[in-house]
């Protein structure tokens, strides 16, 4: 590294960068040179070695003219790993870093990765003239590589100087670095990583594609840029160019993901489905990540119209949905009363290694109950029991109520028997549903027996249920009411004596409801 670099570092105003005509006359002004402490230093970075910390203290505390003397007096031998560690911590102090780099290189030659660090450090500080001095020194030592120019591209793009980034690509071959598709993609990645600059990347590609043929990664970078910008119209154009220039390729998953996420976020769901069908015909698919994110959003929107064809495309390829995705899709179908379709998904889950769980079964069971599918509810209940995924307590209570309403008390009683025998909590919901159902059918003898059993076992009977039973017994006459009254009263007295042994008034008050 020559003395000219140090001179420029002492007077950054001399650094003018490359002198090329701008390819974008309306480009924004570059941001200012990074302020001190913008980058990590030895003061805040974790796991800094004691030797590196000692050198960094010298670089930050010694006067510029005394740095090399202080380094030589430290007695520290600058090994390659130590040099790399110090340079990574010295981005805030480029002038001192250059002095250290030169001092550490006395008597030996720096390896290529250390030179690349120096180029990156200078570029990130927008000291482009000394950066190019370092590049020329690397050329003399035959240590230049694409990694060096990738750093140059990134530094110019971060500074908003995209024309210099492109012109750096144009001179690569003069430095002995090949202008191949990997180099093209490196520059495109640097440009498109900046906000709203994908059009600059497209312009560059249009000018170079006659010389260097793009590949799938090239278009993936551009499509990811349009995705970040949310520009679906430009994404469609780039997608069409990709198909025309590189064809259909199952390996271009990153490009497909970016394209479909752009359409999806633009709420162009008809286009998403249409393009998915076209891709399916060419045996190409986006990745599971896209389908996961898209289906999650469609479920939140309750959009089964677009989710179903998307799901069908997904399972027709080599992608395997997991249990979470199956449950989300089955829940969506149930919300849209597509019960037959939900059951078909349940039946196919095992073939994809996604075994249903309690949530899977209970969503379908709840849908059957809500839609008063009497025979299907009873049949599905026994399937759940057989597969050891029984309905939840609230679902059992709802099923009992529905079956009574639909004139199938025997099925309701079967569910209650299961709830009772297996202590499916909360018991009170199902018990109250049974009492009300029997009462509505005027099966008062069964009501009396169940009420006695429920109260004796201290299962809660709701006040609304008690009121309903009382009114029903009144309508049937005093004889039935008196029998029910006596049974419940005795049980309540026994219960109240246990819970309130010193308060006869409370017992009298509660019994007054009867």
């Amino acid at each position: 590294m020559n003395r000219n670099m140090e001179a420029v570092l002492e007077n950054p105003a001399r650094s003018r960068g490359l002198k090329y005509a701008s390819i974008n006359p309306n480009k924004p002004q570059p941001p200012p040179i990074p302020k001190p402490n913008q980058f990590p230093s030895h003061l805040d970075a974790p796991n800094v070695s004691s030797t590196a910390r000692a050198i960094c203290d010298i670089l930050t505390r010694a006067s510029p003219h005394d740095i090399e003397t202080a380094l030589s007096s430290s007695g520290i031998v600058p090994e390659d790993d130590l040099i790399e560690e110090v340079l990574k911590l010295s981005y805030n102090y480029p002038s001192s870093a250059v002095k250290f780099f030169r001092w550490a290189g006395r008597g030996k030659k720096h390896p290529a990765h250390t030179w690349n660090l120096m180029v990156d450090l200078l570029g990130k500080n927008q000291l482009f003239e000394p950066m190019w001095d370092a590049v020329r020194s690397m050329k003399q030592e035959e240590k230049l590589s694409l990694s060096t120019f990738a750093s140059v591209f990134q530094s110019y793009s971060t500074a908003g100087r995209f024309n210099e980034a492109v012109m750096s690509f144009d001179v690569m071959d003069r430095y002995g670095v090949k202008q191949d598709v990997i180099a093209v993609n490196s520059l495109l990645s640097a440009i498109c990583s900046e906000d709203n600059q994908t059009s600059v990347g497209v312009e560059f590609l249009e000018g170079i594609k006659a010389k260097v043929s793009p590949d799938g990664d090239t278009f993936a970078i551009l499509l990811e840029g349009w995705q970040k910008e949310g520009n679906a119209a430009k994404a469609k154009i780039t997608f069409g160019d990709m198909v025309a220039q590189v064809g259909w390729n199952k390996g271009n998953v990153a490009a497909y993901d970016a394209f479909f996420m752009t359409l999806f976020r633009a709420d162009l769901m008809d286009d998403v489905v249409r393009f998915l069908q076209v891709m399916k015909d060419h045996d190409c698919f986006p990745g599971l990540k896209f389908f996961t994110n898209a289906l999650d959003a469609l479920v939140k929107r309750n959009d089964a119209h677009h989710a179903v064809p998307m799901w069908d495309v997904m399972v027709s390829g080599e992608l395997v949905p997991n249990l979470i995705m199956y449950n989300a899709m089955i829940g969506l179908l149930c919300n849209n009363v597509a019960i037959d379709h939900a059951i078909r998904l349940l039946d196919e889950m095992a073939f994809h290694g996604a075994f249903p769980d309690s949530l899977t079964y209970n969503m379908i069971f709840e849908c059957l109950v809500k839609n008063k599918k009497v025979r299907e509810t009873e049949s599905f209940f026994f399937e759940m029991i057989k597969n050891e995924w029984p309905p939840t307590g609230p679902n059992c209570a709802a099923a009992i109520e529905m079956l009574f309403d639909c004139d199938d008390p025997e099925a309701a009683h079967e569910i209650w028997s299961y709830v009772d025998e297996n202590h499916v909590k909360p018991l009170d919901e199902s018990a109250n549903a049974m009492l009300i159902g029997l009462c509505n059918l005027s099966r008062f003898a069964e009501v009396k027996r169940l009420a006695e059993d429920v109260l004796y076992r201290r299962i809660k009977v709701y006040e609304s249920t008690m009121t309903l039973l009382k009114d029903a017994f009144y309508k049937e006459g005093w004889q039935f009411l008196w029998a029910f009254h006596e049974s419940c009263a005795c049980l309540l007295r026994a219960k109240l004596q246990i819970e309130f042994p010193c308060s006869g008034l409370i017992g009298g008050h509660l019994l007054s409801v009867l």
Side-chain angles (χ1 to χ4, degrees):
M1 187 176 297
N2 57 36
R3 292 281 181 179
N4 181 47
M5 183 184 297
E6 269 197 72
V8 173
L9 285 167
E10 297 294 340
N11 182 14
R14 292 179 53 188
S15 179
R16 296 178 298 278
L18 295 176
K19 307 171 185 64
Y20 295 110
S22 172
I23 62 170
N24 182 6
N26 297 318
K27 71 180 181 70
Q29 292 298 314
I33 293 175
K35 297 178 180 179
N37 301 322
Q38 178 173 330
F39 304 105
S41 73
H42 68 291
L43 299 175
D44 48 36
N47 304 319
V48 178
S49 69
S50 57
T51 310
R53 190 179 298 278
I55 291 180
C56 289
D57 284 338
I58 294 173
L59 298 182
T60 56
R61 295 176 182 175
S63 65
H65 298 292
D66 297 333
I67 285 179
E68 292 190 37
T69 302
L71 289 171
S72 298
S73 300
S74 68
I76 297 172
V77 178
E79 301 291 345
D80 288 344
D81 289 345
L82 177 62
I83 296 170
E84 181 178 349
E85 183 180 9
V86 170
L87 288 178
K88 288 180 178 179
L89 298 169
S90 301
Y91 274 61
N92 291 315
Y93 313 101
S95 179
S96 299
V98 169
K99 292 179 183 295
F100 166 73
F101 183 83
R102 187 178 65 182
W103 171 79
R106 289 176 179 174
K108 69 172 186 177
K109 291 187 176 181
H110 290 295
H113 70 271
T114 305
W115 273 105
N116 283 337
L117 257 179
M118 198 69 234
V119 168
D120 190 65
L121 184 151
L122 295 168
K124 291 296 188 295
N125 283 279
Q126 300 187 29
L127 296 165
F128 295 118
E129 189 168 323
M131 178 190 75
W132 281 103
D133 285 341
V135 170
R136 284 187 282 271
S137 297
M138 291 181 72
K139 182 177 185 299
Q140 292 173 1
E141 295 189 16
E142 298 182 347
K143 292 179 179 176
L144 274 177
S145 67
L146 177 57
S147 297
T148 312
F149 277 90
S151 176
V152 172
F153 300 154
Q154 190 66 58
S155 294
Y156 274 128
S157 297
T158 301
R161 298 168 70 161
F162 302 104
N163 56 322
E164 283 94 338
V166 172
M167 294 307 165
S168 298
F169 176 89
D170 291 341
V171 301
M172 283 177 64
D173 54 349
R174 303 180 200 174
Y175 286 83
V177 180
K178 188 177 180 181
Q179 294 174 319
D180 57 11
V181 69
I182 301 176
V184 169
N185 293 344
S186 295
L187 176 54
L188 281 178
S189 180
I191 293 172
C192 295
S193 64
E194 302 301 318
D195 292 340
N196 301 313
Q197 299 300 327
T198 308
S199 58
V200 176
V202 171
E203 183 181 353
F204 162 68
L205 181 61
E206 287 298 315
I208 197 66
K209 66 182 182 182
K211 180 179 178 181
V212 181
S213 298
D215 62 8
D217 290 340
T218 309
F219 290 99
I221 293 166
L222 294 176
L223 287 168
E224 287 168 358
W226 294 131
Q227 177 188 347
K228 187 168 68 171
E229 296 181 24
N231 196 326
K234 293 291 182 65
K236 290 181 184 180
I237 295 173
T238 299
F239 186 83
D241 291 342
M242 178 181 70
V243 173
Q245 294 183 51
V246 303
W248 297 99
N249 188 328
K250 295 177 67 172
N252 288 345
V253 174
Y256 301 146
D257 277 354
F259 175 60
F260 280 105
M261 283 308 301
T262 305
L263 297 180
F264 184 82
R265 289 174 180 171
D267 203 24
L268 300 175
M269 289 308 307
D270 290 338
D271 284 345
V272 169
V273 172
R274 179 168 60 87
F275 277 106
L276 280 174
Q277 293 292 347
V278 172
M279 287 185 62
K280 176 184 174 183
D281 293 341
H282 293 87
D283 196 28
C284 292
F285 303 90
L288 189 61
K289 182 179 179 181
F290 162 73
F291 285 109
T292 301
N293 293 335
L295 285 171
D296 181 61
L298 290 173
V299 168
K300 291 177 181 177
R301 300 180 193 176
N302 198 34
D303 185 355
H305 175 71
H306 293 106
V308 169
M310 183 182 295
W311 178 273
D312 291 341
V313 170
M314 178 179 67
V315 297
S316 68
E318 299 175 355
L319 300 174
V320 180
N322 56 31
L323 174 60
I324 294 175
M325 297 176 72
Y326 264 108
N327 279 345
M329 192 65 188
I330 287 173
L332 177 63
L333 292 169
C334 288
N335 287 340
N336 287 271
V337 201
I339 303 175
D340 291 341
H341 198 159
I343 292 176
R344 282 201 300 273
L345 289 192
L346 172 68
D347 292 338
E348 76 177 31
M349 288 178 70
F351 294 103
H352 291 136
F355 297 98
D357 61 4
S358 177
L359 176 61
T360 319
Y361 280 107
N362 271 283
M363 286 190 296
I364 296 176
F365 186 72
E366 181 180 0
C367 185
L368 292 171
V369 171
K370 284 184 176 179
N371 290 278
K372 300 184 183 301
K373 303 290 185 179
V374 176
R375 284 178 296 177
E376 293 88 342
T377 296
E378 185 176 6
S379 174
F380 197 75
F381 171 77
F382 287 112
E383 181 180 345
M384 294 175 73
I385 301 305
K386 181 182 69 175
N387 292 320
E388 300 183 348
W389 291 114
T392 61
N395 275 351
C396 287
I400 291 170
E401 180 181 353
M402 182 274 289
L403 291 169
F404 271 117
D405 290 343
C406 296
D407 299 322
D408 194 349
E410 287 73 21
H413 195 275
E414 287 178 337
I415 294 178
W416 163 249
S417 296
Y418 178 84
V419 171
D420 190 25
E421 292 169 7
N422 293 274
H423 306 287
V424 179
K425 295 182 178 180
L427 275 171
D428 55 323
E429 290 188 29
S430 294
N432 280 266
M434 279 295 297
L435 287 169
I436 293 171
L438 292 170
C439 183
N440 289 336
L441 292 178
S442 299
R443 293 163 69 163
F444 296 111
E446 294 178 60
V447 172
K448 177 178 176 294
R449 286 195 300 270
L450 181 59
E452 290 173 349
D453 180 57
V454 164
L455 290 170
Y456 181 77
R457 292 162 59 189
R458 306 176 76 176
I459 298 172
K460 182 179 180 181
V461 178
Y462 304 145
E463 184 177 347
S464 58
T465 304
M466 294 291 277
T467 302
L468 177 68
L469 298 182
K470 184 182 72 171
D471 292 344
F473 272 86
Y474 266 119
K475 290 179 182 178
E476 290 299 316
W478 286 97
Q479 184 179 359
F480 286 104
L481 175 61
W482 182 254
F484 180 67
H485 174 280
E486 286 299 307
S487 298
C488 291
C490 291
L491 289 167
L492 281 173
R493 286 193 187 97
K495 181 180 178 183
L496 291 168
Q497 285 173 2
I498 295 172
E499 296 181 356
F500 306 100
C502 300
S503 181
L505 290 175
I506 295 178
H509 173 70
L510 290 177
L511 287 170
S512 66
V513 299
L514 295 173

